[in-house]
Amino acid sequence: ARSLLQHPQPDVLAGLQRRARQEALPHVVMLDAVARERVDDFLAASDVCLHVLRPDPLFSYALPNKILSYFEAHRPFVTNVAGLPERLARESGGAYCPSAHDMADELRRWVALSPAERRQRGEQAFVYGREHFQFETNADRLEGLLEDLVAGRS
């Protein structure tokens, strides 16, 4: 299992990279910022996604687009955000970890899973996302609206 970490603040990322080297964390790869069109490639290269946000009550009921991206990429996720993200993570095959210690323990569990078990969790996440957020239905509806718009129908 490999964890990919991206952080929007270069100075924070550099500190995390130093710490990962000092602690010899072979399963953690930290990346500089990548263009949005490359994000799906990195999701596909991972086994599980980390959804880690600062404590803020707003996040407990928000549905970030990145969670939908995880589902579409067949990736479960581990979050530190209580509320809606916690429920979605648990129900889709991921986990909720309220502390850094819990997160470390959960990532050790992911490393111990077989490749088949990690793939199964990824498929579980995709099916959950499709059933709850109707990826294909929404895409088909949008495509129909765009075709109507281009054809001059409304």
Side-chain angles (χ1 to χ4, degrees):
R2 194 165 275 242
S3 298
L4 300 173
L5 176 65
Q6 187 178 17
H7 198 286
Q9 297 173 332
D11 56 329
V12 173
L13 180 63
L16 292 171
Q17 288 170 325
R18 273 192 305 281
R19 184 171 174 189
R21 280 192 304 274
Q22 290 168 348
E23 295 184 27
L25 302 174
H27 299 288
V28 176
V29 177
M30 298 195 194
L31 306 170
D32 294 325
V34 297
R36 173 65 192 118
E37 57 271 5
R38 295 211 46 226
V39 170
D40 291 341
D41 296 335
F42 287 99
L43 291 177
S46 68
D47 293 310
V48 62
C49 296
L50 304 181
H51 178 254
V52 180
L53 299 174
R54 73 179 187 282
D56 187 321
L58 172 68
F59 298 141
S60 68
Y61 58 86
L63 175 62
N65 285 338
K66 64 179 72 176
I67 290 176
L68 298 178
S69 294
Y70 302 156
F71 292 153
E72 290 174 333
H74 299 239
R75 296 296 176 259
F77 70 99
V78 176
T79 187
N80 70 330
V81 182
L84 180 61
E86 171 188 3
R87 182 174 62 82
L88 296 175
R90 287 184 171 170
E91 291 177 358
S92 65
Y96 167 66
C97 301
S99 71
H101 177 62
D102 293 336
M103 182 75 69
D105 287 346
E106 181 63 25
L107 293 178
R108 284 186 198 95
R109 281 190 284 279
W110 274 93
V111 168
L113 291 175
S114 72
E117 290 170 309
R118 291 191 298 266
R119 277 192 303 277
Q120 186 277 326
R121 293 267 192 104
E123 289 310 306
Q124 179 182 346
F126 176 76
V127 168
Y128 180 89
R130 186 182 62 214
E131 290 175 354
H132 289 82
F133 300 102
Q134 303 171 341
F135 300 142
E136 290 93 355
T137 303
N138 289 337
D140 291 345
R141 192 175 70 213
L142 179 59
E143 183 179 357
L145 289 171
L146 290 173
E147 286 173 358
D148 288 346
L149 181 64
V150 169
R153 301 181 295 248
S154 38

